[in-house]
Amino acid sequence: MATQINPCSSSSTTFPPSSLNQETFSSAKFFNFSTKSSPSRWVFKIHSRINPKNQFELKSSNGYPLNAISLQDGAAEKPLAKELVLPEQAESNLSVTVVGASGDLAKKKIFPALFALFYEDCLPQNFTIFGYARTKMTDEELREMISRTLTCRIDKRENCGDKMEKFLERCFYHSGQYNSEEHFAELDSKMKQKEGGKVSNRLFYLSIPPDIFVDVVRCASGKASSKNGWTRVIVEKPFGRDAESSGELTRSLKQYLAEDQIFRIDHYLGKELVENLSVLRFSNLVFEPLWSRNYIRNVQFIFSEDFGTEGRGGYFDNYGIIRDIMQNHLLQILALFAMETPVSLDAEDIRNEKVKVLRSMRRLRLEDVVIGQYKRNSKDGKTHLGYTEDPTVPNDSLTPTFAAAALFIDNARWDGVPFLMKAGKALNTRRAEIRVQFRHVPGNLYKRNFGTDLDKATNELVLRVQPDEAIYLKINNKIPGLGMRLDRSDLNLLYSARYSKEIPDAYERLLLDAIEGERRLFIRSDELDAAWSIFTPLLKELEAKKIAPELYPYGSRGPVGAHYLAANYNVRWGDLTGDD
Amino acid sequence: MATYSPSTHCPSSSAYSNNSSLINRIHQRTTFPSIPRKGFRPTKLYLHQSSNGVSVSNAVHVQDGAKSMKESPVESDGPVKILKDGILSVPPVTPPEESIDVASFDFNKDKSTVSITVVGASGDLAKKKIFPALFALYYEGCLPEHFTIFGYARSKMTDAELRTMVSKTLTCRIDQRENCGEKMDHFLERCFYHPGQYDSPENFLELDKKLKEHEAGRVANRLFYLSIPPNIFIDAVKCASSSASSAKGWTRVIVEKPFGRDSESSSALTRSLKQYLDEDQIFRIDHYLGKELVENLSVLRFSNLIFEPLWSRQYIRNVQFIFAEDFGTEGRGGYFDNYGIIRDIMQNHLLQILALFAMETPVSLDAEDIRNEKVKVLRSMRPLRLDDVVTGQYKSHTRGGVKYPAYIDDKTVPNDSLTPTFAAAALFIDNARWDGVPFLMKAGKALHDRRTEIRVQFRHVPGNLYNKNIGPGLDVATNELVIRVQPDEAIYLKINNKVPGLGMRLDRSNLNLLYAARYSKEIPDAYERLLLDAIEGERRLFIRSDELDAAWSLFTPVLKELDDKKIVPEYYPYGSRGPVGSHYLAARYKVQWGDVGDVGSQQ
């Protein structure tokens, strides 16, 4: 049995490139037994990363224009022809250019992710990596810099040194201004050299401040676009500060790029358990029947960090936690959670459903939001500075470092179900999780024993995104022994206990997707617009009225206001009950 | 947040506090110890009757139970009424309303006593299960303050000899070793022996006299545990009821299987018992109902929102009840050969679990309400047809140089015995909830492992987005809920999950609850629970006559046919997975046995 398919599988070969649409898409008719983990359980290879060609065939036959929603952007342009002529992987060349190569994100996340992909054989045979930044640096210096942060995956240390050297040989540096077309033209000629006349696909990763996004995109698309392959650009948040600035950014990008060239990354969508959310819902019979207002009482999206801005508050202070975490990461997860079943797992189908959720949501109102800001706290003899004591933050900053919000989706499935979000810095723990609290059992035979609060002993499904990925379902269970006493136990799936494999970083997945043209986890323009329109009025009001955040001590559980907000909707935060 | 319940004297149920997790004390063992059939607490009775009218008028025709319903459920209904008045979660002090009960109870307690007579005291079951269970109850403080234990059997023995015999098999619960020796001494002091014939009223009269001495004028409640062969049930019951019944308190009799060999013999037995006992004096024990996870089945279903919506033909594809032993009759086949695995395991243990599994939501947790629902399930079932049964018998097998004997090699078994040591059956419940859902049972001796479990296989996801990748056999990747009754109690739900890593591969993982990992406490033996229930008059886990009738009527035709046609069982090697016929039976109903190749279940 069991040919284990290459896990990253753009190279995943075996399916014929001929047949059209769905058939191809399913990539794997074969389902195979896992050789690695346990011999007898089924392992399915699903939705393997299809190569772009198939994807586009699929898209054109199953494309979004047919679908109910009117797409503002994507529909207009379909420069598919270019992609359809994509030849075999082996003959093509991939150039990844990290714009802003000397920055922190590049060093800590992007280069290591690229290396991990290389190590796992997920990159095409011919690839080149370029660093681009203003700093003067030689290729050697870049390599030196990168090598310091490259880490090997813990579970595969073999040949790590070897591989690293090979990887570094493919890394080059070009210094230039971000707004200089000449410098990008120089880059283009260097790239051409490396590409050696092969079909070239080019990916630009913009790891730079948002105010120069458009300059870079202009130069890159004007001077360094691929002539015979695809050119894609990955951009990271922030995508504007509000609906207007975001719309403006999108419009500017669109001057130089088609919608399907823009890959807006939200690295939370690359997290293992967020990806798993759809699998859980749609490949198990036991969850979907419960997935509605009939059974779900409320849903909570919780993000907390146990550190503050720590001297890097300059960027943050201009955005605040709502823009930094809620409007993008948490809202994206919410949309995935709450969407209707898509027609297929195709990116456009999924994103169509996500947009529908976002568009069904009520604008957030001021009274449904609680904001907080951390203040100085001394604990165990150590003093943690307050947010405004950060030298990079203005002394009178009102920027929230914590926020809680209650959102509502006014559609048939979710009418009346509160979706609560909570995000904060400098809290007592670090975690990201989704909590689904179910209703109480109607006519519960055991209810007299739950006391007056029926909702305390309800079922709860928890997806812990980080740290220590886990899924658990709280159930009421009889405590073994004579007599009949109940308690809540967990039906557990702790990833570390079940899966020995290290979980890849979100950036690896997303880079690979971008390389393969898989757009499922990237944010489409209309999604972004819909997301902003939920939050923009509130953000404006907060700023216009200069609402002062509730101060909470560094390392605490956040402002108590969050509890009152939850209480307004008869919700109790699941993460603070102490029974985890 | 421990919600306290009224009146328990059994520390095992009250002293357990688990810091922050919700502990709910539910359906507590109410200790109103002696619910007098002659009617003690009239107010409660009336309250109850009115509520009970509902269950009587409830579709099912209760042949026997109805009579007893008037009285029996008082215990558990009393507290409901009280609780409904709003004393829901109370500090561990009994609330005012409660204290009345408790007071009266305490008052009673001083004057009442329980005498437990183990009839057949020298037998195996008595030594291995009954006395140890009684001791465990005593150790845990679950027995009334004053109690007496009598062994009764034909062997001549002194009290001291009985005590020596009993003490040899008494074990202390592992988690509470303190004072064990001391407790044991105290316990043994309360044990006495009386030799006598099982059919001799005089001998029982002597016993009565001895009992009276020990009861010393208190209100005496008497429990007889008949640990004797079925052919002398009636004699013993006759003598006990006529000569050794309690004059002032209750008298109850626990009987164990076999309850007959078929519908006729079973109802003959019931009729005979009824000559001397009322229905509510008879406690038919099925020790599988006392198993922790079987008790938990109702909790899972009815106290969790997430299971009940799925609990029907709409979502459940099939249900499997699996019982396997890894040893044969081992020289004790005499009794077994006369009954066979279908009567020994299926018709009682597995069918009881099935009924609990499949029943509709009862009106309350009251014994009569639950048993009414169980009877409804049994009466909705199709009688089993020969086509839907596969029988097997183990043959000798040599493995690792050891030769394991065949069933008919057992000296206590006739050489030409056709008695099945293995059986698989497909059953159907023709009601709105379960129409068309196969309920498969499998039970066998001398198989490759030992286990008892319930497997619920769900349907495939309709229009599964991931279907294409699962291949043609959609049903291999469905969800499955497994309740492992023994060994290593566990509950797990198989779900499809993404394998972490780049790409998108799915596998089935378990959402797990392994009891050993979650609960440190040792799980009490089923007999402890059932004895305690019998003492307290809690009939939930005992089998009512009409249940028994309904159960037999499902199996009797096929049992007769097997016997009449002398159907030869399929032979399977000792220590194997049983006859392959069971797979073909399953395949006919598009089922795949879940216990074969389930990694999760091996842990």
Side-chain angles (χ1 to χ4, degrees):
Chain A
M1 10 206 244
T3 38
Q4 179 92 13
I5 297 181
N6 184 329
C8 42
S9 81
S10 49
S11 47
S12 93
T13 67
T14 47
F15 48 92
S18 59
S19 57
L20 292 185
N21 58 44
Q22 314 273 12
E23 289 303 315
T24 352
F25 180 66
S26 79
S27 74
K29 285 282 183 153
F30 34 84
F31 65 99
N32 41 353
F33 302 87
S34 155
T35 45
K36 270 181 198 156
S37 19
S38 90
S40 63
R41 69 172 194 265
W42 306 104
V43 174
F44 305 103
K45 169 99 175 70
I46 292 199
H47 189 245
S48 77
R49 311 195 160 245
I50 36 182
N51 67 39
K53 183 176 172 186
N54 295 330
Q55 163 117 33
F56 273 91
E57 283 171 352
L58 173 65
K59 189 170 151 190
S60 48
S61 73
N62 195 17
Y64 36 81
L66 301 174
N67 239 315
I69 300 214
S70 81
L71 292 172
Q72 295 106 326
D73 317 296
E77 35 235 328
K78 294 212 279 172
L80 303 178
K82 199 161 53 177
E83 321 234 353
L84 284 171
V85 296
L86 190 78
E88 288 306 303
Q89 291 280 352
E91 295 171 29
S92 74
N93 195 308
L94 172 71
S95 303
V96 180
T97 307
V98 181
V99 182
S102 51
D104 225 48
L105 181 73
K107 280 189 279 190
K108 282 197 190 145
K109 291 289 186 181
I110 306 173
F111 288 116
L114 285 168
F115 173 60
L117 289 177
F118 170 71
Y119 189 100
E120 301 251 9
D121 287 327
C122 294
L123 292 184
Q125 210 171 32
N126 303 310
F127 76 95
T128 320
I129 291 171
F130 275 92
Y132 187 100
R134 282 176 304 197
T135 332
K136 295 273 174 238
M137 233 194 293
T138 63
D139 290 349
E140 267 321 304
E141 281 165 342
L142 174 84
R143 287 170 191 166
E144 179 59 33
M145 181 192 88
I146 295 177
S147 67
R148 264 181 267 137
T149 55
L150 287 190
T151 46
C152 286
R153 297 283 211 82
I154 292 168
D155 56 344
K156 298 192 192 175
R157 293 171 179 274
E158 237 179 289
N159 303 324
C160 188
D162 252 4
K163 288 264 191 182
M164 199 185 290
E165 274 170 38
K166 287 203 184 118
F167 177 77
L168 290 173
E169 281 169 18
R170 315 270 193 105
C171 296
F172 304 91
Y173 185 75
H174 185 77
S175 80
Q177 295 300 313
Y178 294 126
N179 56 2
S180 156
E181 304 205 356
E182 295 79 55
H183 293 164
F184 275 91
E186 290 163 24
L187 174 68
D188 183 56
S189 52
K190 274 201 193 171
M191 288 167 91
K192 279 203 179 109
Q193 272 176 27
K194 310 286 176 206
E195 287 160 7
K198 295 193 184 86
V199 172
S200 59
N201 297 313
R202 293 184 180 172
L203 178 66
F204 292 88
Y205 197 118
L206 304 198
S207 177
I208 46 175
D211 52 326
I212 48 177
F213 275 2
V214 180
D215 284 336
V216 171
V217 165
R218 176 172 47 87
C219 300
S221 87
K223 298 297 171 190
S225 268
S226 168
K227 299 292 174 290
N228 50 6
W230 49 252
T231 304
R232 292 173 189 151
V233 177
I234 298 181
V235 284
E236 273 234 55
K237 70 173 180 186
F239 311 122
R241 290 191 80 246
D242 51 29
E244 293 75 40
S245 53
S246 164
E248 175 60 32
L249 177 66
T250 299
R251 264 193 306 282
S252 308
L253 291 176
K254 291 283 185 74
Q255 285 178 22
Y256 310 104
L257 298 171
E259 170 73 17
D260 70 341
Q261 292 184 284
I262 306 171
F263 284 70
R264 285 183 199 84
I265 213 168
D266 183 327
H267 68 269
Y268 261 74
L269 294 183
K271 300 248 179 213
E272 188 59 43
L273 280 195
V274 177
E275 273 240 86
N276 196 26
L277 188 56
S278 298
V279 175
L280 269 191
R281 281 188 65 188
F282 300 125
S283 78
N284 290 295
L285 184 74
V286 293
F287 296 118
E288 194 57 20
L290 306 170
W291 222 255
S292 75
R293 62 199 298 273
N294 285 342
Y295 298 107
I296 292 179
R297 190 157 46 102
N298 68 73
V299 187
Q300 303 174 9
F301 301 89
I302 295 168
F303 169 95
S304 61
E305 276 178 351
D306 54 2
F307 49 88
T309 49
E310 323 287 334
R312 297 155 156 272
Y315 159 78
F316 182 85
D317 192 64
N318 191 28
Y319 288 89
I321 197 88
I322 298 179
R323 291 184 179 91
D324 199 43
I325 304 292
M326 277 193 174
Q327 180 271 344
N328 37 48
H329 304 322
L330 297 188
L331 189 62
Q332 284 292 324
I333 297 175
L334 182 151
L336 269 178
F337 177 93
M339 70 181 181
E340 299 297 311
T341 312
V343 174
S344 79
L345 295 172
D346 192 38
E348 295 316 318
D349 288 326
I350 291 179
R351 297 197 291 187
N352 283 347
E353 295 305 331
K354 280 168 64 194
V355 174
K356 278 161 67 178
V357 170
L358 297 176
R359 292 180 54 208
S360 300
M361 288 178 74
R362 262 183 238 166
R363 305 265 172 284
L364 194 51
R365 297 175 311 162
L366 190 58
E367 56 263 45
D368 285 338
V369 176
V370 168
I371 56 171
Q373 191 186 75
Y374 65 86
K375 61 182 182 189
R376 170 201 285 260
N377 187 18
S378 295
K379 213 166 39 177
D380 306 330
K382 201 180 165 204
T383 298
H384 295 279
L385 293 181
Y387 175 67
T388 52
E389 292 170 291
D390 189 315
T392 58
V393 168
N395 283 339
D396 57 352
S397 173
L398 294 179
T399 303
T401 61
F402 174 99
L407 296 114
F408 292 88
I409 306 173
D410 290 333
N411 65 13
R413 190 188 279 260
W414 297 116
D415 191 4
V417 178
F419 285 78
L420 266 67
M421 285 183 181
K422 191 164 77 167
K425 287 179 175 291
L427 295 173
N428 61 331
T429 63
R430 170 177 165 263
R431 70 162 95 185
E433 62 187 19
I434 308 170
R435 291 180 165 263
V436 186
Q437 295 188 343
F438 291 90
R439 293 189 184 279
H440 66 256
V441 177
N444 192 339
L445 288 172
Y446 296 87
K447 69 170 167 256
R448 56 185 142 138
N449 310 88
F450 290 124
T452 43
D453 188 356
L454 290 180
D455 288 339
K456 245 182 230 163
T458 58
N459 295 124
E460 188 171 7
L461 175 68
V462 181
L463 304 179
R464 192 164 61 216
V465 177
Q466 67 182 27
D468 306 329
E469 290 82 354
I471 301 171
Y472 54 95
L473 181 61
K474 291 179 174 291
I475 57 166
N476 292 304
N477 204 53
K478 178 178 171 304
I479 297 175
L482 301 172
M484 175 67 82
R485 287 170 309 124
L486 305 197
D487 76 346
R488 286 220 288 180
S489 303
D490 296 341
L491 285 179
N492 253 321
L493 171 60
L494 198 62
Y495 271 51
S496 60
R498 160 80 185 179
Y499 299 108
S500 58
K501 207 177 167 192
E502 204 196 347
I503 295 175
D505 191 79
Y507 281 93
E508 295 176 34
R509 190 189 316 280
L510 293 164
L511 272 165
L512 183 61
D513 279 348
I515 291 168
E516 297 183 349
E518 166 57 80
R519 290 167 176 76
R520 202 161 34 97
L521 301 179
F522 296 89
I523 301 163
R524 210 164 60 186
S525 305
D526 55 341
E527 275 189 87
L528 185 61
D529 291 348
W532 273 121
S533 64
I534 296 168
F535 281 90
T536 299
L538 166 89
L539 288 165
K540 288 222 154 81
E541 201 173 344
L542 280 175
E543 277 155 28
K545 293 187 177 163
K546 295 200 188 306
I547 307 277
E550 188 178 335
L551 299 180
Y552 61 95
Y554 192 115
S556 71
R557 289 160 176 269
V560 293
H563 292 290
Y564 288 91
L565 175 68
N568 274 347
Y569 295 104
N570 290 321
V571 177
R572 185 183 275 262
W573 290 106
D575 60 330
L576 298 181
T577 57
D579 54 331
D580 278 337
Chain B
M1 269 319 294
T3 15
Y4 232 74
S5 61
S7 68
T8 177
H9 58 295
C10 182
S12 73
S13 34
S14 58
Y16 200 93
S17 105
N18 190 344
N19 45 24
S20 59
S21 71
L22 249 196
I23 295 196
N24 303 295
R25 171 116 170 71
I26 293 205
H27 190 248
Q28 67 299 325
R29 310 205 159 245
T30 39
T31 38
F32 313 101
S34 43
I35 296 314
R37 306 198 293 115
K38 324 264 178 308
F40 243 41
R41 40 188 77 218
T43 35
K44 298 270 163 50
L45 266 170
Y46 295 137
L47 273 176
H48 183 76
Q49 270 178 330
S50 59
S51 80
N52 213 25
V54 180
S55 40
V56 172
S57 66
N58 232 331
V60 182
H61 168 73
V62 181
Q63 292 118 327
D64 312 292
K67 190 164 41 160
S68 63
M69 282 164 72
K70 290 186 195 97
E71 301 142 351
S72 58
V74 165
E75 302 124 297
S76 41
D77 209 49
V80 191
K81 299 294 177 195
I82 293 163
L83 286 163
K84 273 182 189 155
D85 294 337
I87 319 297
L88 284 167
S89 62
V90 281
V93 177
T94 25
E97 278 91 328
E98 231 66 86
S99 51
I100 299 160
D101 280 293
V102 172
S104 64
F105 157 64
D106 282 335
F107 177 65
N108 282 341
K109 196 167 105 181
D110 289 339
K111 301 207 307 182
S112 78
T113 176
V114 174
S115 303
I116 299 161
T117 306
V118 180
V119 182
S122 50
D124 224 48
L125 181 74
K127 279 190 279 191
K128 282 196 190 149
K129 292 289 187 182
I130 306 173
F131 288 116
L134 286 168
F135 173 61
L137 288 177
Y138 170 71
Y139 189 99
E140 301 253 4
C142 295
L143 291 184
E145 205 180 293
H146 192 274
F147 69 92
T148 317
I149 292 172
F150 262 91
Y152 185 100
R154 282 176 303 198
S155 346
K156 295 272 173 238
M157 232 195 297
T158 64
D159 289 349
E161 280 165 343
L162 174 86
R163 285 169 191 167
T164 316
M165 182 193 87
V166 170
S167 68
K168 267 184 253 149
T169 55
L170 287 191
T171 46
C172 286
R173 296 285 209 82
I174 292 168
D175 56 347
Q176 299 184 338
R177 291 172 181 274
E178 237 180 290
N179 304 323
C180 189
E182 211 180 298
K183 287 265 190 182
M184 200 185 288
D185 290 342
H186 283 297
F187 177 76
L188 290 173
E189 281 169 18
R190 314 272 192 102
C191 295
F192 305 91
Y193 185 75
H194 184 77
Q197 295 300 313
Y198 295 126
D199 55 358
S200 154
E202 295 78 44
N203 292 160
F204 273 91
L205 208 56
E206 291 158 25
L207 173 69
D208 183 56
K209 232 176 260 162
K210 281 198 188 171
L211 286 170
K212 281 206 180 104
E213 271 170 40
H214 290 287
E215 289 158 3
R218 295 180 179 85
V219 172
N221 299 311
R222 293 184 181 171
L223 179 66
F224 291 88
Y225 196 121
L226 302 196
S227 177
I228 47 176
N231 54 353
I232 47 177
F233 274 0
I234 305 290
D235 288 335
V237 164
K238 185 175 64 181
C239 301
S241 92
S242 61
S243 309
S245 266
S246 166
K248 286 183 286 182
W250 48 253
T251 303
R252 293 173 188 152
V253 177
I254 297 182
V255 284
E256 274 235 52
K257 70 173 180 186
F259 309 123
R261 291 191 80 247
D262 50 28
S263 291
E264 292 76 40
S265 53
S266 165
S267 56
L269 176 65
T270 299
R271 266 195 308 278
S272 311
L273 290 176
K274 293 280 186 74
Q275 285 177 21
Y276 309 106
L277 298 171
D278 287 339
E279 169 73 17
D280 70 340
Q281 292 184 283
I282 306 171
F283 285 69
R284 285 185 199 83
I285 214 167
D286 183 328
H287 67 270
Y288 262 74
L289 294 183
K291 300 243 179 218
E292 188 58 42
L293 282 199
V294 175
E295 273 238 83
N296 196 27
L297 191 54
S298 298
V299 176
L300 270 190
R301 282 188 65 188
F302 300 125
S303 78
N304 290 295
L305 183 74
I306 54 173
F307 295 118
E308 193 57 21
L310 305 171
W311 222 254
S312 75
R313 62 197 298 272
Q314 196 176 352
Y315 297 106
I316 291 179
R317 189 158 45 100
N318 69 74
V319 187
Q320 305 174 9
F321 301 89
I322 295 168
F323 170 95
E325 274 179 352
D326 54 2
F327 49 87
T329 49
E330 323 287 334
R332 297 156 157 273
Y335 159 79
F336 181 84
D337 193 65
N338 191 27
Y339 288 88
I341 196 88
I342 298 180
R343 290 185 179 88
D344 199 43
I345 303 291
M346 278 193 173
Q347 180 271 345
N348 38 46
H349 304 323
L350 297 188
L351 189 63
Q352 284 293 323
I353 298 175
L354 182 150
L356 269 178
F357 177 93
M359 71 181 180
E360 299 296 312
T361 312
V363 174
S364 78
L365 294 172
D366 200 35
E368 295 315 319
D369 289 328
I370 290 179
R371 297 196 290 186
N372 284 347
E373 296 304 332
K374 280 168 64 193
V375 174
K376 278 162 68 177
V377 170
L378 296 176
R379 292 182 54 212
S380 299
M381 289 177 74
R382 268 181 235 168
L384 192 55
R385 297 176 314 154
L386 191 58
D387 284 356
D388 287 337
V389 178
V390 170
T391 58
Q393 192 186 78
Y394 64 87
K395 60 184 182 188
S396 84
H397 182 59
T398 307
R399 202 176 34 185
V402 183
K403 185 169 187 289
Y404 295 92
Y407 175 66
I408 49 168
D409 294 343
D410 190 315
K411 290 194 187 71
T412 57
V413 169
N415 282 339
D416 58 352
S417 173
L418 296 178
T419 302
T421 60
F422 174 98
L427 295 118
F428 292 87
I429 306 173
D430 291 334
N431 66 12
R433 189 189 281 258
W434 296 116
D435 190 5
V437 178
F439 284 78
L440 267 68
M441 285 182 182
K442 189 163 80 166
K445 286 179 176 292
L447 295 174
H448 75 292
D449 70 351
R450 170 178 165 261
R451 70 164 87 188
T452 305
E453 62 188 18
I454 308 169
R455 289 179 167 265
V456 187
Q457 296 189 341
F458 291 90
R459 294 189 184 278
H460 66 259
V461 177
N464 192 341
L465 289 171
Y466 298 86
N467 262 355
K468 304 170 186 125
N469 312 88
I470 293 172
L474 290 181
D475 288 340
V476 290
T478 59
N479 295 124
E480 187 171 7
L481 176 68
V482 182
I483 297 169
R484 192 165 60 216
V485 177
Q486 65 182 25
D488 305 328
E489 290 82 354
I491 301 170
Y492 55 95
L493 177 64
K494 289 177 173 291
I495 56 166
N496 291 303
N497 203 51
K498 179 178 170 303
V499 178
L502 300 171
M504 175 67 84
R505 288 177 309 127
L506 304 198
D507 77 347
R508 286 220 285 178
S509 306
N510 295 343
L511 285 180
N512 257 321
L513 172 60
L514 199 61
Y515 271 50
R518 159 82 189 176
Y519 299 108
S520 58
K521 206 173 176 208
E522 206 196 345
I523 295 175
D525 190 81
Y527 282 92
E528 294 176 37
R529 191 190 317 281
L530 293 165
L531 272 164
L532 182 59
D533 279 348
I535 292 169
E536 296 182 350
E538 167 58 80
R539 291 169 175 78
R540 202 159 36 95
L541 302 179
F542 296 90
I543 300 164
R544 210 164 61 187
S545 303
D546 54 343
E547 274 189 88
L548 186 61
D549 291 347
W552 272 120
S553 64
L554 293 177
F555 280 90
T556 297
V558 84
L559 287 167
K560 286 223 152 70
E561 207 172 340
L562 282 171
D563 287 345
D564 291 348
K565 295 189 175 160
K566 296 203 188 305
I567 306 278
V568 179
E570 189 179 335
Y571 293 97
Y572 60 96
Y574 193 116
S576 70
R577 288 168 178 272
V580 292
S582 67
H583 290 290
Y584 288 92
L585 175 67
R588 190 171 341 137
Y589 295 105
K590 300 199 161 53
V591 177
Q592 182 154 7
W593 290 105
D595 59 330
V596 182
D598 177 6
V599 178
S601 65
Q602 312 287 327
Q603 39 181 239

